[in-house]
Amino acid sequence: LGALEVLHAQSCYHRDIAPDNILLQLDPAQPQGPGRPVLLDFGAARRVIADRTHDLTAILKPAFAPIEQYAEVSHLHQGPWTDLYALAAVLYYCLSGKAPPPATARVVRDELKPAAEVGRVLAEAWPGLRYSPVLLQTIDAALSVRPEERPQSVAQWRMLWDAAAFDLDLRPAPAA
């Protein structure tokens, strides 16, 4: 999110966020830790200039690209929400082990299982495994097919995640 925030502040969008463009760099201070994600490959990044009318080339990975990357139509602009969709698709892939269906298919018939449902199934299969409901809801929000229904900025994404501080464990209590 930090890298995206810096890019977006300059009206520059990565436009190719996918698992193969994220490197987990080991932290020498925590060699057993999960690593720090580093965003790679800015080949598809484009800066939007002047009056923000822009013709952007279609460089995409279907499972990780939102609908607005497919068409050159005036009402489907690319922006921070474009990269946030892709980031959410990567998180969904990490969670479920499957990439989301392409946005073009989801527009016609959305068969994507919500991250909240995937998290619940995983928790049932592996007792003790639990994902924050706020994390799962944030992934679902950012994976909205309609751009205006997604977080519009990294700041909005973070506000959704910050709500995790008030997260309640909504799982049923264990049977006595």
Side-chain angles (χ1 to χ4, degrees):
L1 286 174
L4 290 179
E5 195 165 42
V6 169
L7 278 174
H8 296 169
Q10 299 301 313
S11 296
C12 187
Y13 312 117
H14 189 280
R15 301 176 59 242
D16 192 24
I17 298 171
D20 61 335
N21 284 335
I22 299 173
L23 172 71
L24 289 179
Q25 184 178 24
L26 293 179
D27 181 354
Q30 296 180 350
Q32 302 304 317
R36 191 184 89 208
V38 178
L39 189 58
L40 305 173
D41 191 1
F42 289 79
R46 294 290 181 269
R47 186 173 185 162
V48 178
I49 55 175
D51 63 354
R52 298 194 181 273
T53 59
H54 51 283
D55 293 328
L56 298 173
T57 54
I59 300 171
L60 53 84
K61 293 182 177 91
F64 301 96
I67 195 68
E68 63 268 22
Q69 280 190 259
Y70 285 88
E72 295 291 333
V73 293
S74 62
H75 68 281
L76 284 178
H77 296 289
Q78 296 181 37
W81 53 88
T82 303
D83 285 342
L84 296 177
Y85 178 99
L87 180 59
V90 169
L91 292 172
Y92 187 92
Y93 173 75
C94 292
L95 174 72
S96 70
K98 292 180 176 179
T104 51
R106 293 183 63 211
V107 166
V108 176
R109 183 173 175 179
D110 194 355
E111 296 184 348
L112 180 70
K113 284 185 183 176
E117 181 181 329
V118 173
R120 187 179 66 252
V121 169
L122 289 171
E124 289 171 3
W126 286 284
L129 178 67
R130 180 178 178 273
Y131 292 95
S132 161
V134 173
L135 168 65
L136 301 174
Q137 291 166 5
T138 303
I139 292 169
D140 288 336
L143 276 175
S144 292
V145 175
R146 299 176 61 87
E148 65 274 10
E149 294 176 0
R150 296 182 214 138
Q152 298 295 293
S153 66
V154 170
Q156 282 186 358
W157 175 289
R158 284 191 169 134
M159 283 184 354
L160 292 172
W161 272 17
D162 287 346
F166 303 102
D167 185 22
L168 301 173
D169 186 348
L170 302 176
R171 293 181 301 168

